[in-house]
Amino acid sequence: MIPELGHFALILALFVALALGTLSVVGGQQGRADWMALARPGAQALWLLTAFSFGCLTYAFFTNDFSVSYVAQHSNSQLPDIYRIAGVWGGHEGSLLLWLMMLCTWMMAVSIFSRQLPEVMVSRVLGILGLVAVGFLLFMLITSNPFLRLSDIPTDGRDLNPLLQDPGLVFHPPMLYMGYVGMSVPFAFAIAALLNGRLDAAWARWSRPWATAAWICLTIGIAMGSWWAYYELGWGGWWFWDPVENASFLPWLVGTALIHSLAVTEKRGLFRNWTIILAITAFSLSLLGTFLVRSGVLTSVHAFATDPRRGVFILLFLSVVVGGSLTLFAMRASKVRSGGAFALVSRETFLLVNNVLLATAAAAVLLGTLYPLIVDALNLGKLSVGPPYFNSVFVPIMLPVLLFMVIGSYARWKNDSVAELTKKLRPVAIVSVLLGCTAPFFAGEWSPLVALSLTLVFWIVLASMLQIYRQIKDTVNWRSTPVSFWGMHVAHIGIAVCVVGITMVKGYETEKDVRMAVGDTVEVGGYNFRLTGIRSEPGPNYTAEVGDVVLSRKGQILRTLHPEKRTYFSSTMPMTETAIDSNLVRDVYVALGERLEDGASPAWAIRVYCKPFVTWIWVGGLMMALGGAIAALDRRYRKKVTSNAGAVGAKGVAA
């Protein structure tokens, strides 16, 4: 009965979303206050119906209702309780329901936290989001219903993919989806502004905190996914340029450009058309990522290789969204008046340059991701584009981004001079070069790429610290400084911290794949690893071979590591569970491989790494998210619009 109720709730949600989208958008265009008044309660009703449906599927998982096809495919009676809940989004249908749940949560948030905005703008935004929800509801009900029943009920389920039976499944997908789907909100604001014809600073100010919030969630989600892959897969890597990893990275790159472009539009009224394009592109890339993951066109440890009909549906939906958005933009773009002028040397110029570089980086990653698929689709052969391409193309684009990021934060709005900027930044540049070129000598072998990267790290950190010092020193009441100032510098320093981790681990990591019997010792990175034993341990739904590896340095025992090789009952699929000793400056990482020999003195394949500063990658990601959160708390975004602004919004006067 519960699954039927969940299915019925989805059908009701479809009608509510269709009514919400139609009445809110049309009402906003025609100035129908009675229709616009339905937007907020309609969005809240849609959230309640989706949450109820999501709860029904969760209940089916928790009670082992194997009459539901999706539960039978992705759960098992021996599955621990936490993974019965997280297993809801462990497959295609459930993760799509999670996507819809996140979309409705964003709609609920807009309906609650946008009461200071004109009713006509909120109505349009919620209506557009409602129409997006219609597309996903149709997709679920037609091709991906999570509540389908089985006529022949199995005694037990197939089990959740062992790769997903990890705490990362509990946190990573919901946070990533919050960011992924959150890009729909600035998209909806952009389309609402195009419908209204009011592309001004007020629109940018209303949209900016939502774009920042989505970017924060996406940043945390990507960092979590990177960390999960690092410790779970046993390969020792933190980023593999996997097509599905790229699918989430693409909207992050464009979203980063978007939040900076919105800042210029809000402050100076510039880049309006560019900002609209970025908002459309960020959400379009989110939909493209959905197509890549769910169409079966690629093979990935992350992908849901499913019925190609689903890919066709999403591709049609993507075409409607992108085509309709760009058509509306083409109709309205000519009516957008330019903002003020700015000189070649100004903050606007440097922000624009970095925007273009970020967009170029996204285009390069998109090309490397889609090109093999296009070649395969045209029957021109099989082609693989891997890390060498992405590293050689992406890194040279991002290095100047780090350079101009500092110059842009020091440059004045409208007009500045090279002489003034040089005077401000010369001491920072000199110290940064000296420190950056000297530091590699202390880390090990000197490398020009490491020296360049560390120079840019010192460039960012020293410039930010100097600006913070001057702000405190020169401001009468520095506590009145806009919180966006502090958020910007926390995020920028977070980028520098992340670059330190990437640079050091790529430049100085050491690894060995060795054959070890009990009693053998191997040395890696100045650390000694001694295998003292292998024992069997039972788990809730698996058996594990657990290694005891004593870690020591210079004769001093630090701790005992316990890498595992698990074999799950239902799938007999072996899984590696790494053991990591982590501190601020390095990770020591051990993965237990296959048993190589039997008999009186068996041996195992063991992989050992020493990774300097690798944790800084994820600390930097969290600092970036923290900086975004601080900036989003700026009180400007909580100010109620004036009655005049609301009147202008209602009339739809062209900006």
Side-chain angles (χ1 to χ4, degrees), residues 20-79:
L20 169 65
T22 304
L23 294 178
S24 298
V25 173
V26 174
Q29 290 301 99
Q30 296 184 355
R32 291 285 302 268
D34 53 340
W35 288 6
M36 288 188 288
L38 298 174
R40 295 182 197 273
Q44 292 161 11
L46 185 59
W47 182 87
L48 288 172
L49 288 168
T50 306
F52 178 78
S53 182
F54 192 85
C56 289
L57 187 60
T58 304
Y59 180 80
F61 265 83
F62 199 75
T63 58
N64 291 322
D65 187 352
F66 299 124
S67 68
V68 178
S69 175
Y70 179 69
V71 177
Q73 291 173 4
H74 300 284
S75 187
N76 186 276
S77 59
Q78 295 177 313
L79 195 65

Side-chain angles (χ1 to χ4, degrees), residues 185-196:
V185 181
F187 165 80
F189 269 94
I191 300 302
L194 286 172
L195 289 172
N196 193 20

Side-chain angles (χ1 to χ4, degrees), residues 424-448:
K424 293 177 186 176
L425 290 169
R426 184 188 293 115
V428 175
I430 293 172
V431 175
S432 298
V433 171
L434 290 175
L435 292 175
C437 291
T438 304
F441 288 111
F442 296 95
E445 182 182 355
W446 194 89
S447 163

